[in-house]
Amino acid sequence: MQRYDYLLSALPGLEPLGAVPPMTKQEFMEKVRESRGPSQSIEMIMLSDDLMQAEALDAGEVEQDQLDLVVLSVASADESVALPAALCTETGDSQENARQAVDQLWQRYFVHAGKTAKKCHSRFLKAWVGYEVALRNALVTARAQALDLDPTHYWVATDWADTDLDFSGTLTAWSAAAHPLAGLEVLDKARWDWLEEQGQWFSFAADELEAYAAKLMLLHRWRRLTAESTA
């Protein structure tokens, strides 16, 4: 596996969740590309944050000038975020299609990310997809059970989930959160802790750059969330 000692030693350190990000996502991507690092797998990680922002834009939760996109771009025709072909879903006029549109998007994203991990031989991206899918579906299950619904109708990319993960403690803390932002903080802290645990795998290789990208992305996402909550 190719090593990136020089690049990793030159990157600024990352403080815990809630700290000011030491660099922009765009600056980081430029360094990765200049060093011929694992840009394809890192872009796939960054794409998840772009998709979350695209959802917020479509829902009217943020304005276009608040977007901090790395992989996607805004289509000039209708000021929406243009998706890559691999993530485009068929649309329809029925209420059922409208209800499932978001789940379909994330289904395609995680499958695409999982296939990219295989193509790039990325251990970290494969593990990260497994974690994110498992966490998402665990949250879906908790919400569905509270509403007496069948959670299997809302799961995504089940073949890519890490079935060995236990989110019971995270879900208990999330459900007991005093307000939505506190609940999101529980989830992002769980993500951060998982990323910290993966550190034992790293030795100045592609995995370490990919993990750095995931942590930097979390810092920026959490900073956006807290900024929005006080706006």
Side-chain angles (χ1 to χ4, degrees):
M1 181 176 288
Q2 186 172 351
R3 293 167 62 88
Y4 298 96
D5 306 61
Y6 174 77
L7 175 57
L8 284 161
S9 62
L11 290 173
L14 296 179
E15 298 297 325
L17 188 67
V20 177
M23 62 195 308
T24 68
K25 294 178 294 179
Q26 293 80 1
E27 288 170 342
F28 173 70
M29 284 305 311
E30 288 177 7
K31 292 180 181 296
V32 171
R33 294 185 184 112
E34 288 172 358
S35 65
R36 297 185 180 181
S39 57
Q40 190 172 3
S41 56
I42 289 176
E43 284 177 359
M44 191 57 58
I45 294 168
M46 294 290 188
L47 177 56
S48 69
D49 192 44
D50 283 10
L51 291 175
M52 288 185 179
Q53 294 183 70
E55 280 188 49
L57 180 66
D58 289 343
E61 298 170 358
V62 298
E63 299 296 330
Q64 182 179 330
D65 59 3
Q66 295 176 289
L67 296 177
D68 180 27
L69 304 177
V70 176
V71 181
L72 300 180
S73 58
V74 176
S76 57
D78 56 4
E79 296 187 348
S80 63
V81 175
L83 298 177
L87 303 188
C88 291
T89 59
E90 295 180 2
T91 58
D93 296 328
S94 71
Q95 183 177 359
E96 184 69 13
N97 281 340
R99 181 182 63 80
Q100 294 180 348
V102 171
D103 288 343
Q104 290 173 358
L105 174 61
W106 285 101
Q107 164 75 21
R108 295 198 180 201
Y109 165 73
F110 284 122
V111 170
H112 185 42
K115 290 180 178 179
T116 300
K118 285 189 173 183
K119 178 181 176 182
C120 298
H121 306 288
S122 172
R123 296 176 302 171
F124 176 82
L125 180 57
K126 179 182 178 182
W128 181 82
V129 168
Y131 180 90
E132 288 294 330
V133 171
L135 177 57
R136 181 185 180 90
N137 289 342
L139 289 168
V140 164
T141 298
R143 291 186 178 114
Q145 290 175 345
L147 298 171
D148 197 25
L149 298 172
D150 183 355
T152 62
H153 293 164
Y154 309 96
W155 288 345
V156 301
T158 53
D159 290 343
W160 297 92
D162 185 343
T163 56
D164 293 329
L165 294 171
D166 179 11
F167 293 106
S168 55
T170 299
L171 292 177
T172 297
W174 168 75
S175 62
H179 48 80
L181 185 62
L184 291 174
E185 184 176 13
V186 168
L187 300 180
D188 277 353
K189 281 186 174 179
R191 289 182 169 103
W192 187 274
D193 290 344
W194 181 83
L195 289 169
E196 290 279 277
E197 292 171 3
Q198 307 313 300
Q200 59 185 335
W201 295 358
F202 307 143
S203 58
F204 290 97
D207 287 344
E208 193 166 356
L209 278 174
E210 292 160 349
Y212 188 100
K215 294 173 80 172
L216 182 66
M217 179 181 70
L218 271 181
L219 288 178
H220 279 282
R221 184 166 73 197
W222 187 247
R223 192 152 184 83
R224 286 199 315 268
L225 287 171
T226 53
E228 292 165 8
S229 69
T230 57

